[in-house]
Amino acid sequence: MIILEKILTSVVVFFLLTAPSTADIISLNLYSDNRHMIFFSDFEFSHAGYVSFDISSLTVNSSTSFDPTHSGFVLQRREVQDQQNTSICPLDFKLNSAVFTFQDLSHAFNKSYPVTHPGMNSLFFVNCNGEGESFVTTEGRAELYNMDDGTTRNYLSAGLTHLPFLYFFSSFIYLRFLGFWIKNKRCFHGIHLLMGGLLLMNYVQLICAAADLYFVKVTGTPHGFDGLFYIFQLIRTVLLFTVITLIGTGWCLWKPYLEECEIVILMFVIIVQVWANVDSILIWKFDGPYNIYRERWTYSSTSLDIICCFVIFVPIVLSVISLKKNREADANAAMNLVRLCLFGIVVFLYVLFTRFLVRGLFPAWMNYGVQEISILVVCVVMFFIFRPLDHEDDDKKAVQISPSSYFSVRVSSSFS
């Protein structure tokens, strides 16, 4: 990637980079040195991959002579991006695939190009006219797709083509899980209602994800399901961490209240998860050419999520310490200690596996699949360990909790 250092050239590009059924104009105000690459999109091509351009207008205003052979669009493979020689125009770099230059354009242009190097590629706009100032205005549309069976366009990256079925199948599992949970006739407490809500959010989020990717695959646009996907993903993630935190405190399981410090931890977890997910939505919403905030938002979202993953262990550790002190005098405390320790191990493995181990180890669709399977395993184990008890057993093993005491706070006598 070329490093920007001196302000010598201003380039403004209005380009429509989107799928066939939508039209988004991306406006850029760029100040760069004598060479500049503007990122547009990543896409994984198969051996039957194509890039199609439909450009309706092109206007160039330059204070000096403008060489159209030094401006255009280029595909760059992921594995050669670190080998880019900054002294050579990317259009002339032999490891890049120059799609076309402005020399090929008149006032209108509509053409498709086969991709010569399958795999993950990045589409860039390149301007190597570094003398003086140049103002480039382009309006049009780019389509990146693979051909299935030689006749059908597939607008999903090759590594994501299996995801619609995977998400739909996973949503069916959560729907059956939710049905079984609702039909349970045993004694429910507040935490069990939140666990049922988590199953419902998992189902809705996966349905939106499957519809999003299906419509992108067929038509090239998500038809609004991408927005629904991010909204329900936020709700699901916040609810998942909320349930884990509340179970760690023992709320509604062996005590009917939250300590003051536990309420602070819960509020912190909710706020941080909302913040992290909003950052990820901003990355999606403002993704595109020359998004100077993309790296900042990505780092912020990842950092906040990892911090939250460590914080949720605080109530678990505190509860373990408390139960250890009471296990000799209370048989229920010993049983709850075993359940909580097993739950803590499962949560630890989930965080370790999804946040640190699997990233970059699998192809894209398998990575998403592993993430969903990990969440499903956590839900199955968590729901089994802390499933509702029979009324008879509930009287012996669990604390009887009235609805009015769900969120009551235990205040020490020093504050009375």
Side-chain angles (χ1 to χ4, degrees):
M1 188 63 67
I2 298 176
I3 301 175
L4 306 180
E5 294 179 350
K6 298 181 181 180
I7 301 177
L8 296 175
T9 307
S10 88
V11 181
V12 180
V13 179
F14 295 93
F15 194 83
L16 210 75
L17 180 64
T18 185
S21 11
T22 62
D24 295 329
I25 296 179
I26 302 173
S27 177
L28 304 177
N29 295 287
L30 307 179
Y31 298 90
S32 67
D33 61 0
N34 57 349
R35 291 183 179 85
H36 191 70
M37 295 177 66
I38 307 170
F39 169 77
F40 272 90
S41 179
D42 286 327
F43 195 84
E44 184 176 355
F45 292 97
S46 66
H47 291 279
Y50 288 85
V51 180
S52 177
F53 288 90
D54 183 5
I55 297 177
S56 58
S57 66
L58 170 66
T59 304
V60 177
N61 295 317
S62 179
S63 60
T64 59
S65 59
F66 181 83
D67 187 355
T69 62
H70 286 168
S71 291
F73 289 87
V74 64
L75 283 174
Q76 188 176 77
R77 285 175 292 165
R78 179 69 58 83
E79 59 268 21
V80 303
Q81 289 184 0
D82 294 334
Q83 305 176 31
Q84 174 70 57
N85 189 340
T86 58
S87 63
I88 301 175
C89 179
L91 290 168
D92 300 326
F93 189 52
K94 63 180 181 180
L95 296 179
N96 290 337
S97 300
V99 181
F100 71 89
T101 65
F102 284 178
Q103 186 182 24
D104 303 321
L105 298 179
S106 54
H107 291 289
F109 183 82
N110 190 342
K111 192 173 182 179
S112 298
Y113 299 87
V115 176
T116 56
H117 298 289
M120 183 62 71
N121 282 262
S122 300
L123 179 65
F124 291 91
F125 167 78
V126 178
N127 177 43
C128 296
N129 288 276
E131 299 296 332
E133 293 185 353
S134 57
F135 184 87
V136 180
T137 303
T138 303
E139 293 185 4
R141 181 173 66 201
E143 301 174 9
L144 290 76
Y145 57 90
N146 297 309
M147 296 296 293
D148 292 343
D149 302 325
T151 56
T152 306
R153 291 186 178 186
N154 184 346
Y155 294 98
L156 275 182
S157 289
L160 304 179
T161 189
H162 301 288
L163 278 182
F165 173 77
L166 176 65
Y167 283 150
F168 180 78
F169 181 75
S170 300
S171 68
F172 177 76
I173 294 178
Y174 279 110
L175 183 61
R176 294 299 301 265
F177 198 169
L178 178 62
F180 173 78
W181 192 255
I182 293 175
K183 291 180 180 179
N184 197 320
K185 301 300 183 181
R186 297 178 178 181
C187 183
F188 271 82
H189 292 314
I191 189 64
H192 299 125
L193 298 179
L194 288 178
M195 293 163 73
L198 176 60
L199 292 178
L200 178 61
M201 287 300 103
N202 279 323
Y203 167 72
V204 175
Q205 189 259 352
L206 288 171
I207 283 291
C208 292
D212 175 9
L213 294 176
Y214 173 77
F215 283 113
V216 169
K217 179 179 180 179
V218 175
T219 68
T221 181
H223 294 282
F225 280 100
D226 50 351
L228 292 176
F229 164 74
Y230 277 99
I231 291 173
F232 286 109
Q233 178 178 256
L234 186 153
I235 298 174
R236 181 187 77 160
T237 306
V238 172
L239 193 54
L240 173 64
F241 277 80
T242 299
V243 170
I244 291 175
T245 304
L246 289 175
I247 289 179
T249 64
W251 177 70
C252 288
L253 296 171
W254 54 83
K255 65 179 183 181
Y257 52 78
L258 291 177
E259 305 280 357
E260 287 184 330
C261 64
E262 293 170 343
I263 292 179
V264 172
I265 293 173
L266 178 61
M267 293 299 102
F268 178 83
V269 168
I270 293 175
I271 292 172
V272 170
Q273 274 300 317
V274 170
W275 190 353
N277 280 268
V278 168
D279 276 349
S280 67
I281 294 175
L282 290 175
I283 295 171
W284 157 75
K285 180 65 178 177
F286 297 103
D287 190 20
Y290 199 61
N291 182 0
I292 61 176
Y293 301 106
R294 178 184 177 87
E295 183 177 353
R296 183 188 308 171
W297 283 331
T298 302
Y299 176 79
S300 173
S301 176
T302 304
S303 301
L304 290 171
D305 183 62
I306 292 177
I307 291 173
C308 193
C309 289
F310 284 106
V311 171
I312 59 176
F313 287 101
V314 175
I316 297 177
V317 173
L318 293 177
S319 295
V320 167
I321 295 174
S322 176
L323 291 172
K324 280 185 176 180
K325 294 179 180 179
N326 301 326
R327 62 179 175 180
E328 294 183 359
D330 187 358
N332 289 337
M335 180 192 66
N336 291 329
L337 177 62
V338 174
R339 295 197 297 170
L340 188 60
C341 288
L342 179 59
F343 174 70
I345 293 173
V346 171
V347 174
F348 173 77
L349 293 176
Y350 163 73
V351 171
L352 179 66
F353 196 64
T354 58
R355 265 53 177 190
F356 299 100
L357 296 183
V358 302
R359 294 186 177 182
L361 293 181
F362 303 101
W365 72 272
M366 289 185 63
N367 189 32
Y368 288 112
V370 168
Q371 295 277 350
E372 293 302 328
I373 292 174
S374 300
I375 295 177
L376 178 60
V377 170
V378 169
C379 288
V380 170
V381 175
M382 177 172 63
F383 281 51
F384 176 77
I385 296 175
F386 300 104
R387 64 191 182 277
L389 301 171
D390 290 325
H391 288 282
E392 298 80 9
D393 296 334
D394 188 63
D395 293 334
K396 300 177 182 179
K397 300 179 181 178
V399 179
Q400 292 299 322
I401 303 169
S402 63
S404 60
S405 64
Y406 278 166
F407 280 105
S408 60
V409 183
R410 182 181 183 183
V411 183
S412 63
S413 58
S414 61
F415 290 94
S416 59

